[in-house]
Structure formats: structure tokens, C-alpha cells
Amino acid sequence: MTDPATTPERAALQKIDTSVPHSARIWNYWLGGKDNYPVDEQAGDAYTAVFPGIVVIARGSRAFLRRSIGYLVSEAGIRQFLDIGTGLPTAENTHEVAQRLAPEARIVYVDNDPMVLAHARALLYSSAEGATAYIDADVTDPDRILAAAAETLDLTRPTALILSNILGHVADHDQARAIVDRLMGALPSGSYLSVNDGSLGIDPVFEQAQETYNKSGAVPYNLRTVEAITSFFDGLDLVEPGVVPVTRWRPEPGSPTPEVVAEHGGLARKP
């Protein structure tokens, strides 16, 4: 039997600082999850007091992820997913959506948040036909990510790279572009890139709330213009409707016209 003191969950929990709010835990709180601490709830409530619309953005982002994965599996025929910046497990995680449609799908999750590591087993319940794995790594180390992902995924076959609300944590835009280019450069033709992040120039109240949050001591998250977000897809073929507010990316048929939110996303195929 493994010594409880040395399990990954225990090791991760020992590194969690519960005195400082953390974006993954705050995001979990906005999504209605329970994997957070009072400091995260306080920071989340302070944010929503300034900008209540952040809850719509958080849930719209999750819905965008679900719809884009549905497209990738059902229309693009993708069966492999590399999800970097996974965040805390909630409902409709990547493997749940993908394997519900294609049980043989294989998913690798990547995050460097000790709270996510502590809950990683929730991400590893795969269908019998498919596989899931979790890598404890930083988005700024794409070479390590690719090497570890290759233990579960066949990177000579089309793969979907998912970067959901993670590139905003890379302050330098050129560095963020270089990370995307390195990761997509290692994937073959027919692979896809899915990106969504908070956007500048849409809602000044959102921008004010984010600026205040970034000064709170939490890890900063940098909003980018729609043009900058779109640049991550340079050299790829965007799937219609292109880079749009996440609420307006292929909404469910018959649903009311979604509101515009300051979170843009898109999906593109590598030629």
C-alpha cells in the first residue's frame, strides 16, 4: 500500500497556499464548484460586485469548450486531445464530452496548479476503449509537454490542442505566440487549435475588474484584443464563424440570440 504522505494528492495539497486567491479555484467557484477556499470566494465575490457578468463569461467559456469538442469529434473526426491549462475538474470535462461521442478518444490534460494535481484522479476516469492522462507541467514548457503527451497520444495522427483561458497567464504576447507555434508545429496536418481568452475593447467594466484582480496578489491574467487572440490562428484555417464571443460560437440550434461577452474564442484546422 502506498504511504498516504507520499501520494500525489497529499504532495499537491502540501503546496497549496490557501491564504492567496487562485484563478483556477475562483473560476471553479464561478462555475458553481466546491473546490475552493474562503479566500477564493471572497476574491470571486469582490470581482462579481464590480462585474457580475464574469459568471456569464465563465459559464459561456465552459459551454464553448463543450460545443467545440462536439464539433471536433462529430464533424472533424478527431480522437486525440491535448488540453493545456485544464483547471479544476467540473462538469463536462474534455474527456467526458469526447468519450461520450467517441469512447475510443484519448485525452491528455496538462496543468501546474497543485489544486488541480490534487484532484487529477477525477480527470482520469476513462472509457474502457479510450485513455486519459494528466501531466503536471507549465504551458511555458511546450517541449516537456509534447514529450510527456507522446506517451499517451500518437502525435503523428491529427490531434486537437485546447488552450482555454490559459494564454492570458502568459503576459508577453510574442512568448504566447511562440508557445502556440511550437505546440502546433509538432502536430500533423489535420490537427486543430482551440483557443478562448478574455478580450479587451469589449467591456470597460470587465477590464476595470480584471485590473483590480491583477493587483490583488493573485496570479495575473492578461486580457488581449480580439486581433491579438485571432493572431494565435495565423497559418491555420478558421472554422466558421471564426473568432467570436464564445457565447456566439455555433450556439445550440433554436437557442435565443446569445449576448456578446468579452471572451473570444475560435477553432482552426492545420492545413
Side-chain angles (χ1 to χ4, degrees), residues 192-246:
Y192 282 79
L193 171 65
S194 175
V195 172
N196 62 284
D197 265 301
S199 45
L200 276 171
I202 307 299
D203 190 327
V205 180
F206 177 37
E207 293 167 23
Q208 177 190 346
Q210 190 61 46
E211 183 178 352
T212 301
Y213 171 84
N214 287 348
K215 294 177 180 177
S216 71
V219 177
Y221 180 86
N222 303 278
L223 305 179
R224 287 193 167 95
T225 64
V226 177
E227 180 182 20
I229 294 171
T230 303
S231 72
F232 292 125
F233 299 101
D234 284 355
L236 307 177
D237 297 329
L238 277 164
V239 174
E240 289 295 332
V243 178
V244 296
V246 289

Side-chain angles (χ1 to χ4, degrees), residues 60-183:
S61 172
R62 175 60 55 158
F64 165 80
L65 182 65
R66 173 177 51 78
R67 295 195 304 275
S68 60
I69 292 171
Y71 173 91
L72 287 165
V73 174
S74 300
E75 298 190 45
I78 295 296
R79 295 295 183 269
Q80 298 193 127
F81 297 82
L82 178 56
D83 185 344
I84 302 176
T86 303
L88 287 162
T90 56
E92 300 288 77
N93 298 296
T94 297
H95 73 286
E96 294 170 325
V97 178
Q99 292 183 346
R100 183 164 62 238
L101 298 169
E104 71 276 20
R106 303 175 75 83
I107 295 90
V108 170
Y109 292 106
V110 183
D111 210 304
N112 73 331
D113 179 352
M115 188 77 169
V116 179
L117 175 59
H119 291 79
R121 285 187 177 176
L123 297 168
L124 299 178
Y125 285 101
S126 173
S127 63
E129 302 93 333
T132 64
Y134 178 83
I135 301 169
D136 183 18
D138 194 286
V139 68
T140 59
D141 193 356
D143 290 335
R144 177 184 174 188
I145 290 171
L146 290 166
E151 297 178 11
T152 302
L153 308 178
D154 178 357
L155 298 183
T156 67
R157 296 176 51 220
T159 301
L161 172 63
I162 298 171
L163 298 167
S164 180
N165 291 108
I166 183 64
L167 293 174
H169 288 299
V170 182
D172 184 84
H173 184 62
D174 289 340
Q175 181 186 12
R177 283 283 303 271
I179 289 168
V180 174
D181 290 347
R182 174 69 184 98
L183 291 166

Side-chain angles (χ1 to χ4, degrees), residues 25-44:
R25 302 195 305 256
I26 296 170
W27 198 257
N28 174 268
Y29 175 55
W30 287 332
L31 287 173
K34 303 298 182 184
D35 294 320
N36 43 73
Y37 295 97
V39 67
D40 305 306
E41 296 183 9
Q42 291 164 11

